[in-house]
Amino acid sequence: MGGTLTESDTPSRTPREIAEKLLDLQVDFIVAEVSGDRFAEVIARDVEAVVGVADTIIFRDVVEIDQAKQTVANVIDLIGGSPVLGEMVGTLANSLYENIAGNTDYTLGDVVEREPVEQLLEKIFGMHQAQERILERLTESPLIATVAAKFVDKLVDDFMETNKQIAGKIPGVGSLVSMGTNAAKTARKAAEKAGGTFIGEMAGKGAQFALKRTNNAIREMLRDAPVHDAAMEFWDLHAGEPVSGLREYLSQQDLYELALIIYRIALTTRNKEYVGVLVDQGVEVFFEKYGDHTLAAMLPELGLSEAVVAEEILRYGPAVVEAAKRNGVLAKLIRERLEPFFLSEPVLAVLAGN
């Protein structure tokens, strides 16, 4: 006996069954949105939409200055002291040295351009105020004065020794120079042994005098134009050499230890109160300059654009999404987020016709 299937013959579904079916469809739809070729279209669309919304939001309206200060402080504290960073410093130093040691494809001039190097040297040699201050502070250190005195003494000794060798070739003159040299050495030793005596005081004044003379020589040298030319000549000599030549200045162990020491300085400094003051000041300056920008307007200031943001998401997103899709994690996460809505009492009531 034939006939047409009527609505009454179709098994009815409960509101919960309908909700679960809708949930399945919704999960499948979202998974499809973030999979395959569709993913690129969705990212382009959503980035554009997000930037559009961001263009209506003023930075200081959504971010308070105290919140920003705390966030930056947390980043410096947590990331700066992370085990990963600590372990990477030494490893990276070794890897860098090995790469430099084996790299002959690039010269130092290929890596660093000459013009900024020249500008840097000109600025350093032209910082007379800093030079004067450093030299003034050096004169306040007795130990530095002693070092300067020994430096001058060494120059005098070398000068006298050279003259002695020259004079030795002239009959009668060599013995006179030798007597003068011995007398000078005897007087200096006596001065060194005289602790609080007048001669000892004179020795101390001599050290200060030697330091001042050394400082004057340094000051005059830094202000002498040929020093800049000599520095650039030194640069030019190295600019044409392979980068691998840098390893001749220090061993792999030296670089490793230097990297760890610098990291240790940064690690022990990051939580100092004064660093916090600097961070707070930096945040305040940032707010003063960019606080009235919209979030979207800040992107170009950071060197970003919609295209760049989308490109970076697409660089890593598809691989992550596909991996999560294959092992079922993606669908599971989406279902967990949507299920409370579809199986909620209000939705079930609507599906029941109430």
Side-chain angles (χ1 to χ4, degrees):
M1 179 175 178
T4 304
L5 185 65
T6 63
E7 184 175 347
S8 59
D9 297 323
T10 305
S12 61
R13 293 181 177 178
T14 66
R16 184 179 182 87
E17 290 174 335
I18 297 174
E20 290 177 345
K21 182 59 178 178
L22 291 174
L23 174 60
D24 291 338
L25 294 173
Q26 182 71 70
V27 170
D28 292 341
F29 174 80
I30 294 177
V31 170
E33 284 279 278
V34 296
S35 301
D37 296 336
R38 178 62 180 155
F39 184 67
E41 298 176 11
V42 171
I43 292 300
R45 178 201 66 194
D46 290 349
V47 168
E48 181 180 3
V50 170
V51 172
V53 173
D55 201 29
T56 66
I57 301 174
I58 304 298
F59 180 72
R60 68 170 71 253
D61 290 343
V62 294
V63 180
E64 296 182 4
I65 190 168
D66 290 338
Q67 293 176 327
K69 289 179 179 179
Q70 187 60 53
T71 297
V72 175
N74 287 340
V75 169
I76 294 175
D77 181 39
L78 299 176
I79 297 181
S82 66
V84 172
L85 185 59
E87 293 177 1
M88 283 293 295
V89 170
T91 304
L92 182 60
N94 285 334
S95 177
L96 180 62
Y97 190 92
E98 292 169 359
N99 183 56
I100 288 177
N103 194 318
T104 58
D105 298 331
Y106 301 95
T107 65
L108 189 58
D110 293 332
V111 179
V112 182
E113 295 185 3
R114 190 180 193 275
E115 183 178 356
V117 172
E118 186 171 15
Q119 292 175 347
L120 175 62
L121 291 175
E122 286 180 352
K123 184 59 181 177
I124 292 175
F125 291 133
M127 295 170 62
H128 302 312
Q129 179 178 344
Q131 296 164 13
E132 291 290 342
R133 183 56 178 162
I134 292 173
L135 294 175
E136 286 177 6
R137 295 308 300 266
L138 285 175
T139 59
E140 299 173 7
S141 171
L143 183 58
I144 294 294
T146 302
V147 172
K150 291 184 179 294
F151 174 71
V152 173
D153 285 348
K154 180 61 176 174
L155 291 178
V156 173
D157 287 345
D158 290 346
F159 176 75
M160 294 176 67
E161 184 64 28
T162 300
N163 285 344
K164 180 180 178 181
Q165 293 177 4
I166 296 175
K169 299 178 181 179
I170 304 176
V173 178
S175 58
L176 292 176
V177 173
S178 178
M179 290 176 60
T181 301
N182 291 334
K185 291 181 177 179
T186 301
R188 186 169 63 192
K189 289 180 180 179
E192 292 174 350
K193 292 180 180 179
T197 64
F198 173 76
I199 296 178
E201 294 176 2
M202 291 299 294
K205 293 180 179 179
Q208 290 293 332
F209 175 78
L211 178 57
K212 290 180 179 179
R213 294 298 300 168
T214 303
N215 286 350
N216 288 336
I218 294 173
R219 184 183 295 108
E220 293 174 5
M221 180 189 70
L222 291 175
R223 297 191 179 188
D224 194 2
V227 175
H228 172 267
D229 296 336
M232 288 309 301
E233 185 176 279
F234 177 81
W235 167 261
D236 291 335
L237 287 173
H238 291 76
E241 297 181 355
V243 175
S244 58
L246 294 175
R247 73 187 189 278
E248 297 178 6
Y249 286 91
L250 74 170
S251 66
Q252 184 169 1
Q253 185 64 24
D254 289 333
L255 180 60
Y256 177 82
E257 292 176 354
L258 281 172
L260 291 182
I261 290 172
I262 294 173
Y263 171 70
R264 180 63 179 170
I265 292 174
L267 186 65
T268 55
T269 302
R270 76 187 197 284
N271 288 327
K272 300 297 183 182
E273 183 176 350
Y274 185 67
V275 174
V277 173
L278 294 178
V279 169
D280 290 349
Q281 184 62 37
V283 172
E284 290 174 6
V285 170
F286 182 87
F287 264 76
E288 182 178 349
K289 184 173 179 60
Y290 297 107
D292 294 326
H293 283 53
T294 65
L295 296 180
M298 290 180 62
L299 290 177
E301 299 292 339
L302 298 173
L304 300 174
S305 65
E306 291 182 29
V308 170
V309 173
E311 180 182 353
E312 291 304 316
I313 294 175
L314 291 173
R315 190 187 307 277
Y316 306 102
V320 174
V321 171
E322 288 301 322
K325 181 181 176 181
R326 284 195 303 270
N327 60 25
V329 172
L330 180 61
K332 180 175 179 293
L333 289 175
I334 295 174
R335 180 176 295 278
E336 288 176 352
R337 300 302 182 274
L338 298 178
E339 189 174 55
F341 167 76
F342 281 95
L343 299 184
S344 64
E345 291 298 329
V347 172
L348 293 178
V350 169
L351 295 177
N354 299 327

